[in-house]
Every structure is written in C-alpha cells, then in structure tokens.
Amino acid sequence: MTTTPHIYLSASEVLERFRGGSLTPSAYAAELLAHINATEGTINATTGERLPIDEALAEADQRYADGTARPLEGLPVVLKEEQSIKGHPETNGSPLFADDIAEETHPIITRIAEAGGIPFVRSTTPEFCIAGYTRGKLWGITRNPWNPKFAVGGSSGGSGASLAAGYAPLATGSDIGGSTRIPASFNGVVGYKPPYGRNPAPAPTNLDRYCTDGPMARTVADVALLQNVISGQHADDPVSLPCPPTLVPNGDLTGKRIALAVTVGNYGVQQDVREAVAATQAWLEAAGATVTQITVPINHDFVLETALTHFGSIFVPWIEAVVGEEGKHMLEPYTVQAVEGSRAAFAKHGVLGGLAREVEVHEEVAKIFAEYDALVCPVAGVPALLADEYYMDGITIEGTHFEQYLSIAPTTIFNIANRNPVLAVPVARSADDVPIGVQVVGAPYAEAIVFDVGAALEAGRGAWYQDESERPAYGARTGEVASAV
C-alpha cells in the first residue's frame, strides 16, 4: 500500500499526462475511486451514488490513442447533486424526495460530457441548498478535509470538500447567496460565480437573477478550463448569454487598479481573516497593480433582508409548493428558519420594495467600479463554521453577536449585484489549519480581470496540494490508499 501519486495533480497536469501516455483515464479514475473509498468515511462529501463511467472511460482511452481527445477528455468531474441528471436521483437534499428521479439533464452537465469530461460522483448539499453549511437528514454531516471539526460551507459543500480531499480535479457548484464561494473558501479551493446568464440553467431557475451555476477546482487555470466549456448560450435556456472571449488567466496586473477591503461594511470579520486579506496587497503590487484600501459601506442586515425579500417571491414559494403541508414537519431547522424569514421579509417589502432595496446595493457596488478594475475582499469573516452546529441563534465574533450566522459572509451582495463576476481564491490557513479565502469581484461582465487577479493571488500564495505537507490532513495525508497505477 502506497500513497497514490496522482490525486492532487491539477486538471491541466492530468491532461498533459493523458496526452503523453504516462497515465490513462481508466487508471486515473480507478486511483481516485480507491482514494474516495479510503477517505469518504471521515469526510462524507458524496451522496454515495456512483455514476456509470466504464463506457466513457473506454472511449476516453481510445480517443487519446487515436488523437481525437476533446477539451476535458477523461477528466472525472464531481457534480453537485442539485444539478439534475436524467434517470438519476433528484432529491433536493431532502428525504422527502429520496425516491424522485430526474426527467432532464442540466445543460452544464451535458456540456461537460460532450467535452469528454467524466460525470463521476455526486456531491452532498444541505436541504434545498439553503444553508451555509452542508448537513441534513438525507446524507448527514459533510466535514472539512483540513480539519473535520469544521464545516465545509454550503451549499456546494460536498463539491468543495471533494476537491480538497483529492476526489477529482474538477467539480460543479451553484450560487444563490454564496453557495460556491463559501465552500471554496472553507475548503481551500477556487470557485467561480459567473455573471447572471453566462452559464445556462434549466427553467425556471434560469430566470432567478440571483442564481448561477459555475465551476470549482483547485487552481484558477482549472476553473477557467471548465468555465470555458460550460459557458455560453444553450438551446434549453433562452435567456443564457453568448460566450465571452476564452478565459486565459494571466497574473500580470500591470496598470490595474485594485480596491482592497479588509472588511465589508459591518459584516463580522475576525482578526486572522483581516490579516489574511490585508496580506494580499503585497502580492497584488508585486504583480504590477496599484492597490488602494477602501471601505465598503454596506449594511449586512440590509443585504440579508433584501435577499430574503427576493427569496420570499420565488425560492420559498417553490419550496412550500413541492413540500406541501404534509411534509413541513420533516424540514431541517435551517430550512424552516429561511422560509419563515423570507415570508416575513416579502410581506414587509413586496416585489417593488425589494427591487428598490436592490437598486441601493447595485449603486453602492457600482461606485467601486467607477474607480477600480477589481475589488478584493473577504468571502467570510471566519475561516470556517463548526460542523456540528446549526447556528440557529446566530454567531458571535470577537464579542459581537450577529443574529444571523450568514452576517459573516458578504457574498450575497454579489448575488443581488449578480452581473458582477466573482472568483473565490484561497490565500491563507488559520491556526486550526482551515483555509481562508478572498473574493475577487469585477465590474459587470468583466470576467477576464477576476481570473487575472486570481492568478496573481495564487502565484503570491504559492502552490498548495503539490507538497504532501500542504495537503489536507484528512485528504491524502490520512492513511495509505491503494495505487491503481
């Protein structure tokens, strides 16, 4: 038994080995599955469903042999369970729907398969993807590969944990209030929230302007690789947008003006996070940028109530419709809290009042991009939440109590202002060995700059995962796993 040598290679490195013939897709997938089987009992990042992969792997092996490999040929991809696959379970993370089967495949999953990617395993979510951590009656608690005392974030927590644990080089997420970026930060990986409409989605969620599906990976370049495949107009989504120019991350920021916000408004941010964000200034300046520390006067209570008003008009009525009266008693506490809070906010403000509040957020964000090319700020005010806590009574940070635990996460600002692209990039690790990430925000549809800034931050931070001592304790450093090569 030896430690497997390939599980923490980047997608780009794996593709290079496939092309060179030193590794085959079938052998690589077998290696990853052996590692998952050895590790999953601690982390619990997958739903337990193993997708059929033999035929796709055989095709990938052959395509490398005959020179017809596609952009993602042979790369296993962890798929967020929320994103449907025809003929497979569609549970919404709830035992109420454990036996439901999807009737259609999400368009980004179709695109992944058409590009040669291997739909591999499916990742856990909280119920209805409605929490900032990943736990529920259906799958239990998903734990952080760096330190299992801590949570993985939500709702794409299973995807973030899978990447950090070395289950696959690529994953999918979705984001309606921070659901890609929070797990990226907590797990020390990279996650992208594209502008609304850039990536196709099935109806009716494609019409929810807060909601986006996007790529996750361990490197900025790998996120760009997957985003280039899944973006652009799709026949199944009439409101999807054309593809932007191909993303090619470039860490040269010469002439760029970067705003750095160590805190955001009155969001809760503890000292180690503030220090981690502040430290990025030197990396950005080394890449050629002019960096100015700014304040962002946005109130977390205002943002939260604005978002709850929106959820009360679309998301919550849908939950209530699919659950029905008979199912309400089975809902998770966090689902009940979100439903009740959204109902109250919508009753108070209504559609027009909610839109007026959104205008205020858009205007405050627009002021930043009137002067700067990008904004760097925290993803969350703590490195991670505790895995065994529900936080129904809120959270206390450095003596200040917040009634809502998501008042630590200034992510929802950019779901309200959802034409702004946002890339979450890890920049440090806390004393508890839990990663700390930043958000890189661009002006509406200015996608290239967030990847360029992300690449500069990645270069300044230095590579993770390549050295065994820099890997999660409950990923490749726990025990030995069988090598399939």
Side-chain angles (χ1 to χ4, degrees):
M1 302 287 281
T2 58
T3 301
T4 170
H6 297 119
I7 62 172
Y8 279 114
L9 292 177
S10 69
S12 302
E13 290 169 325
V14 173
L15 288 175
E16 184 177 348
R17 296 193 185 203
F18 286 168
R19 296 186 193 107
S22 65
L23 183 65
T24 67
S26 292
Y28 178 58
E31 188 175 353
L32 295 180
L33 285 171
H35 176 61
I36 292 170
N37 291 337
T39 312
E40 181 64 346
T42 298
I43 296 169
N44 189 36
T46 70
T47 65
E49 181 183 9
R50 296 291 185 264
L51 297 170
I53 60 175
D54 290 348
E55 185 176 332
L57 288 171
E59 180 181 359
D61 289 344
Q62 183 58 45
R63 282 180 175 271
Y64 281 106
D66 63 24
T68 60
R70 296 162 292 182
L72 302 181
E73 198 68 63
L75 288 176
V77 184
V78 173
L79 304 175
K80 187 175 182 179
E81 202 262 3
E82 177 203 26
Q83 293 153 344
S84 59
I85 304 174
K86 184 177 180 179
H88 291 266
E90 186 176 33
T91 70
N92 291 300
S94 172
L96 288 166
F97 308 104
D99 298 324
D100 283 15
I101 301 298
E103 297 180 355
E104 63 178 4
T105 297
H106 195 293
I108 69 167
I109 295 179
T110 300
R111 282 188 165 157
I112 288 168
E114 290 173 346
I118 309 295
F120 193 48
V121 296
R122 305 183 80 187
S123 60
T124 54
T125 70
E127 185 175 69
F128 294 111
C129 296
I130 209 168
Y133 42 75
T134 298
R135 63 180 298 177
K137 297 181 182 74
L138 185 62
W139 298 310
I141 298 173
T142 302
R143 297 184 179 276
N144 199 304
W146 296 89
N147 184 339
K149 270 180 50 181
F150 291 93
V152 295
S155 62
S156 307
S159 287
S162 293
L163 289 167
Y167 289 3
L170 301 173
T172 63
S174 64
D175 196 315
I176 197 171
S179 285
T180 295
R181 290 161 287 158
I182 295 170
S185 181
F186 285 9
N187 292 284
V189 300
V190 183
Y192 183 48
K193 183 207 74 64
Y196 170 63
R198 180 66 75 202
N199 293 349
T205 55
N206 63 326
L207 297 179
D208 187 340
R209 61 189 181 275
Y210 279 36
C211 192
T212 55
D213 296 278
M216 302 177 72
R218 290 187 293 268
T219 71
V220 172
D222 285 357
V223 168
L225 171 71
L226 185 51
Q227 176 62 13
N228 287 332
V229 164
I230 64 178
S231 66
Q233 288 178 316
H234 192 284
D236 291 344
D237 182 358
V239 301
S240 53
L241 299 175
C243 284
T246 300
L247 294 167
V248 183
N250 180 352
D252 182 1
L253 302 181
T254 302
K256 299 301 182 183
R257 301 161 300 164
I258 309 298
L260 182 66
V262 175
T263 62
V264 177
N266 62 342
Y267 280 82
V269 183
Q270 66 186 39
Q271 182 64 26
D272 55 352
V273 176
R274 293 195 294 270
E275 291 173 355
V277 178
T280 67
Q281 179 165 350
W283 304 342
L284 297 167
E285 290 174 341
T290 300
V291 181
T292 304
Q293 291 204 22
I294 68 165
T295 58
V296 181
I298 292 180
N299 182 286
H300 64 77
D301 287 328
F302 185 89
V303 170
L304 181 62
E305 188 155 340
T306 302
L308 289 174
T309 301
H310 174 78
F311 299 151
S313 68
I314 300 176
F315 192 17
V316 162
W318 172 76
I319 291 174
E320 292 177 323
V322 297
V323 169
E325 286 296 325
E326 66 280 5
K328 286 184 177 180
H329 71 284
M330 293 182 64
L331 295 175
E332 293 287 339
Y334 54 77
T335 305
V336 174
Q337 185 180 68
V339 167
E340 292 176 349
S342 298
R343 276 292 179 207
F346 185 73
K348 181 178 178 181
H349 299 291
V351 172
L352 186 58
L355 289 174
R357 297 170 71 88
E358 290 183 10
V359 167
E360 291 189 43
V361 175
H362 275 277
E363 289 177 342
E364 203 60 59
V365 171
K367 291 176 185 176
I368 298 169
F369 296 102
E371 293 188 50
Y372 301 101
D373 297 297
L375 166 69
V376 175
C377 66
V379 173
V382 296
L385 300 167
L386 293 170
D388 293 298
E389 295 290 335
Y390 269 109
Y391 295 97
M392 291 298 98
D393 297 322
I395 189 171
T396 298
I397 299 179
E398 296 183 351
T400 300
H401 185 73
F402 298 86
E403 292 184 3
Q404 296 284 344
Y405 75 95
L406 284 177
S407 293
I408 64 164
T411 49
T412 309
I413 296 165
F414 307 108
N415 295 92
I416 297 171
N418 206 15
R419 277 70 173 177
N420 294 79
V422 189
L423 188 71
V425 183
V427 295
R429 294 214 305 275
S430 74
D432 292 310
D433 205 29
V434 176
I436 298 169
V438 297
Q439 298 183 91
V440 181
V441 188
Y445 303 108
E447 296 173 75
I449 184 63
V450 301
F451 281 86
D452 291 346
V453 174
L457 293 173
E458 194 173 66
R461 182 200 70 210
W464 285 6
Y465 298 107
Q466 297 304 305
D467 185 286
E468 185 169 351
S469 66
E470 294 293 328
R471 298 172 188 161
Y474 286 80
R477 281 194 275 153
T478 52
E480 295 180 329
V481 297
S483 174
V485 178

